[in-house]
Amino acid sequence: MWLKYLLLLLMTPAISYAGYCQREQSKQTGTANKTTSAAPEEDDYDVLSLKFDIALSNTSTAVSGNVITTGKVVAASMSTYAFELNSVITIDSIRFNNQIVTGVTTTGNVRKVSLPSSITNGSTFTAQVYYHGQPPAGNGQFFTAGLNPVLLNGNYNIMYSLSDKDLASDWWPAKQNIQDKIDSVTMWVTVDDSLTVGSNGLLKNVRILPVNKKRYEWHTSYPIDYYLVSVAVAPYNEYSYYMHYTDGSGDSMLVQNFYYNKPGILTAREKAAFDSTGLIIDHFSNLFGRYPFDKEKYGHCMSPLSGGMEHQTMTTMGTVGFSDEALIAHELGHQWWGDNVTYGSWRDIWLSEGFASYCEQLFVEHFRGEAAFLAYRKNVFGYIIGQTTGSVYVDDTTNVNRIFSQNLTYYKGASVVHMLRYLAPSDSIFFRAMKRYQSTYGGSHAFTDDLKNIAEQEYGSSLDSFFSQWVYGQGLPTYSAKWYQQGSDVVIRLSQNTSAPSSVPCFWMPVQIKLKSALGDKVITLYNNANSQTFVTSFDSVMTGMEIDPYDNILNRTTSIVQDASILGIANAQLDQIQVYPNPAQESWQVTNLPQNADCLVTDATGKSIWHSIANFKISIPAAQLAQGVYFLKIKTNEGAVKCMQLVR
């Protein structure tokens, strides 16, 4: 989501680009992170809409006005209205269902007011809170405060919100629960008439008010999480245009950008990056499904932020990001991954940051080519290769630095996404699964297992081992190998150890192997699910060497690869490496680690032949049309060795 960029200058022919993201490290290390509402009474209602009517400036955090929350009671009854608002802010009055209520209690930032009478399940209500105050100011970076007034060189003032992860209450009366999305938000902000306000959704009106004031009236009709509600106030200039979708619909959408009203800001480089945004929106729409908020807009508000914050429909972007298409791609990717589908708990935040980080790679792949894509991925792998422990799934939600771990949440998260793509039967199936995830959970939230279930259904195979090892488990594998060639037969002994064996003793992965020769190379795939395995394959050319995972599809280290004649004596062990999964099966059995030209015969319990094929390394045996029961697979090698296995439908 919200990230800080470390510029890694990667050079490929005629290409230079900024590298991977790292999240701004919090000044609040150890701050407890809520996985539920701050007060149990907040869970008594669901937020339906917000109507802001507040006054702000670009020089301080002073805020005044009112916010109307429309909610629906989801408990059996509700007798107390609870919300969060920074304790330094003064509540002037509260109207509940248009009646003044009194007796507000304050515990920390939690405010509670007893209702004159309980309201029942299913009832809707309005709570209008009038307030004013000057909450503590942030320093312009993540996790310091909800409002951030910053003075730039040249006496240029800007003030912008950063509510993530629980700082919305610094500037408005909020329910800060990521599972309760707000159905719609109207944002009216009154400012001096020299200023501009950027926010979510569409700008419906700019109303001229007395005493040199203006009121900017924004509205979004899409569900939005509390931490994505945003404002940015500055003397902005605007550069906007309409992008056009290439899906044959003929549709277009507003791309709206606010940048500093200072000389030399909108250079040709920045303008080119602005213009590229529409192209990236179209590309990601082809990959994940139409941009989720296409009836409104996408855009940016310039800020001194060290990175970008993916405020829904309008990212708050640091100045570096305006000339860095990879960062633009990251924050834009969040509109699907984090904004449209929000993670259901802070433990699952890789569903946002990992995918948005991988969107950088998808941008590079499409717009800069395969070589640049590989270089970018290798660079990401290089950053985390030394991370020997720790899981993508957050194990400590009390520490903001762990939640937004650069290595685990961003880098390893993106690497897991790529490996999930690598495991897919095809690229089209991978992206079909991603589209289905978006369409299924769009406008709501999802958990890691929700993504897993959809991927399994689309892939037609179990992903239990992959998610258990790569998402919930720790560490990464280190591969080594011995090989020897005799005639056209090549024997490979592949070995693996892991950096956190108590968590994952062995990563089960299909590993690509490049067999090298002076006349050309050959790439084969070996399904590795043991710490030491022997495989036999064929190669007509004289081998000069071997490479493990030549295209960096697996997060791993590789150590020694040596030629060794002694492994010839264990070649007959190849039948012991054959694996069948899933078993029982619904649609098909996948059989891996088959020797060359393996004769595969399936019979029923009576010995009747059901299916037959000659296969190399891997084969899929159809099961969907078979009756439930037990079947038998007989595998015979060219040398006459036979292995029998039981199949369950």
Side-chain angles (χ1 to χ4, degrees):
M1 292 178 168
W2 333 285
L3 23 106
K4 174 185 176 183
Y5 247 67
L6 176 65
L7 295 183
L8 319 164
L9 197 59
L10 289 178
M11 299 298 295
T12 57
I15 295 177
S16 169
Y17 56 91
Y20 214 71
C21 66
Q22 75 178 28
R23 187 66 167 122
E24 174 67 20
Q25 295 303 299
S26 173
K27 305 297 189 296
Q28 304 175 15
T29 300
T31 298
N33 172 55
K34 301 189 305 299
T35 56
T36 58
S37 302
E41 292 88 347
E42 287 184 291
D43 292 329
D44 289 347
Y45 66 92
D46 175 46
V47 180
L48 300 179
S49 67
L50 298 174
K51 167 68 183 302
F52 287 77
D53 188 357
I54 58 176
L56 296 169
S57 78
N58 64 327
T59 58
S60 76
T61 63
V63 56
S64 62
N66 74 89
V67 175
I68 301 174
T69 298
T70 300
K72 181 179 181 179
V73 178
V74 294
S77 64
M78 187 174 86
S79 58
T80 299
Y81 176 59
F83 58 93
E84 296 168 70
L85 184 64
N86 194 297
S87 60
V88 306
I89 293 177
T90 299
I91 293 179
D92 300 313
S93 64
I94 298 178
R95 298 181 68 89
F96 194 89
N97 286 341
N98 292 319
Q99 293 186 341
I100 295 289
V101 291
T102 59
V104 178
T105 63
T106 300
T107 305
N109 291 335
V110 174
R111 312 295 187 104
K112 296 181 182 180
V113 58
S114 296
L115 304 180
S117 60
S118 297
I119 51 179
T120 58
N121 178 271
S123 301
T124 59
F125 65 85
T126 60
Q128 186 172 20
V129 179
Y130 291 84
Y131 62 101
H132 73 277
Q134 190 162 337
N139 64 10
Q141 300 306 320
F142 300 103
F143 313 132
T144 57
L147 294 178
N148 296 264
V150 178
L151 174 62
L152 305 176
N153 291 336
N155 292 321
Y156 188 91
N157 290 94
I158 178 173
M159 196 282 296
Y160 54 98
S161 64
L162 288 173
S163 296
D164 188 42
K165 57 183 180 29
D166 51 10
L167 296 173
S169 59
D170 274 2
W171 61 286
W172 59 276
K175 174 184 175 181
Q176 299 186 121
N177 185 321
I178 55 175
Q179 293 187 13
D180 187 359
K181 285 198 169 186
I182 306 150
D183 295 344
S184 65
V185 176
T186 298
M187 179 65 70
W188 287 6
V189 182
T190 298
V191 294
D192 291 343
D193 60 8
S194 60
L195 301 175
T196 297
V197 179
S199 189
N200 315 100
L202 289 173
L203 182 58
K204 297 293 188 177
N205 192 23
V206 180
R207 190 174 301 277
I208 305 301
L209 300 176
V211 200
N212 299 320
K213 297 288 185 180
K214 284 183 179 179
R215 186 171 71 206
Y216 284 80
E217 300 176 357
W218 292 86
H219 179 79
T220 179
S221 296
Y222 289 99
I224 183 171
D225 235 303
Y226 71 89
Y227 70 89
L228 298 170
V229 176
S230 71
V231 290
V233 182
Y236 282 127
N237 285 337
E238 181 178 349
Y239 173 65
S240 299
Y241 62 91
Y242 281 85
M243 59 78 60
H244 300 275
Y245 292 100
T246 60
D247 57 8
S249 65
D251 293 343
S252 60
M253 187 186 71
L254 177 66
V255 178
Q256 187 172 35
N257 303 289
F258 293 118
Y259 65 96
Y260 298 158
N261 181 11
K262 294 178 65 177
I265 291 295
L266 190 61
T267 66
R269 182 70 188 89
E270 275 71 33
K271 185 176 182 297
F274 277 154
D275 292 341
S276 74
T277 303
L279 300 176
I280 307 172
I281 291 171
D282 180 64
H283 178 52
F284 287 176
S285 294
N286 292 330
L287 297 182
F288 308 134
R290 177 68 72 91
Y291 172 74
F293 316 110
D294 66 309
K295 301 303 181 187
E296 295 181 352
K297 65 133 181 355
Y298 183 65
H300 306 93
C301 284
M302 184 175 279
S303 75
L305 187 63
S306 56
M309 173 60 206
E310 68 278 12
H311 291 129
Q312 192 162 301
T313 73
M314 182 163 270
T315 286
T316 301
M317 183 70 82
T319 52
V320 170
F322 279 92
S323 59
D324 184 352
E325 288 91 344
L327 178 55
I328 288 174
H330 180 112
E331 303 301 347
L332 172 61
H334 270 305
Q335 302 301 307
W336 286 265
W337 304 97
D339 292 12
N340 185 42
V341 183
T342 304
Y343 38 94
S345 77
W346 291 101
R347 295 184 183 277
D348 299 273
I349 194 171
W350 80 280
L351 295 173
S352 175
E353 293 300 349
F355 276 87
S357 297
Y358 191 61
C359 284
E360 300 176 40
Q361 298 185 40
L362 293 173
F363 157 75
V364 171
E365 177 184 28
H366 183 74
F367 292 98
R368 294 176 179 172
E370 193 67 30
F373 175 40
L374 177 59
Y376 208 102
R377 183 165 69 254
K378 290 180 69 171
N379 198 60
V380 172
F381 283 3
Y383 270 92
I384 42 173
I385 211 72
Q387 182 78 43
T388 58
T389 60
S391 62
V392 170
Y393 192 70
V394 177
D395 57 342
D396 179 9
T397 59
T398 65
N399 186 339
V400 71
N401 291 328
R402 172 59 189 92
I403 296 171
F404 296 101
S405 167
Q406 165 188 320
N407 281 351
L408 298 174
T409 302
Y410 289 78
Y411 296 163
K412 191 173 183 181
S415 302
V416 168
V417 177
H418 180 76
M419 290 186 287
L420 185 62
R421 178 183 178 187
Y422 168 64
L423 284 183
S426 67
D427 243 18
S428 62
I429 291 177
F430 170 77
F431 287 110
R432 190 173 72 197
M434 300 305 101
K435 286 181 179 179
R436 182 175 166 188
Y437 174 83
Q438 289 293 323
S439 64
T440 301
Y441 297 104
S444 185
H445 61 272
F447 299 88
T448 295
D449 278 356
D450 295 321
L451 175 72
K452 172 180 173 290
N453 292 339
I454 283 180
E456 285 181 330
Q457 293 165 23
E458 294 295 339
Y459 288 17
S461 60
S462 172
L463 292 169
D464 285 348
S465 297
F466 178 80
F467 276 82
S468 174
Q469 294 169 359
W470 285 108
V471 177
Y472 300 111
Q474 301 185 42
L476 65 152
T478 296
Y479 296 117
S480 61
K482 295 179 180 180
W483 64 272
Y484 197 78
Q485 184 177 27
Q486 189 172 58
S488 62
D489 291 332
V490 176
V491 180
I492 299 170
R493 166 66 72 88
L494 182 64
S495 299
Q496 176 195 149
N497 59 64
T498 67
S499 63
S502 62
S503 175
V504 182
C506 178
F507 286 89
W508 294 14
M509 290 293 287
V511 181
Q512 290 182 321
I513 303 292
K514 180 183 283 188
L515 309 180
K516 297 182 177 181
S517 82
L519 299 179
D521 303 333
K522 177 182 179 180
V523 176
I524 63 172
T525 303
L526 307 177
Y527 189 81
N528 176 224
N529 60 358
N531 295 101
S532 181
Q533 286 177 292
T534 301
F535 304 91
V536 179
T537 187
S538 63
F539 191 38
D540 292 334
S541 301
V542 177
M543 278 185 65
T544 58
M546 194 185 92
E547 188 176 349
I548 299 173
D549 189 30
Y551 306 115
D552 284 292
N553 286 312
I554 302 172
L555 177 62
N556 74 93
R557 299 188 190 92
T558 299
T559 55
S560 64
I561 301 175
V562 296
Q563 185 178 3
D564 187 344
S566 68
I567 65 172
L568 287 175
I570 57 173
N572 289 334
Q574 59 185 300
L575 285 175
D576 293 333
Q577 309 302 323
I578 296 173
Q579 298 289 326
V580 176
Y581 67 94
N583 197 13
Q586 294 279 336
E587 300 295 329
S588 63
W589 294 280
Q590 307 299 315
V591 186
T592 61
N593 299 340
L594 290 167
Q596 291 290 310
N597 300 316
D599 188 309
C600 302
L601 175 67
V602 177
T603 64
D604 63 15
T606 68
K608 178 183 176 182
S609 177
I610 301 296
W611 183 89
H612 177 259
S613 183
I614 304 297
N616 294 309
F617 175 63
K618 182 177 180 179
I619 198 168
S620 179
I621 301 175
Q625 302 304 316
L626 298 177
Q628 290 187 349
V630 176
Y631 298 85
F632 297 94
L633 170 63
K634 183 171 75 172
I635 301 167
K636 184 177 180 180
T637 71
N638 287 339
E639 295 75 25
V642 175
K643 183 180 182 72
C644 293
M645 307 181 75
Q646 189 179 82
L647 305 178
V648 180
R649 165 69 171 90

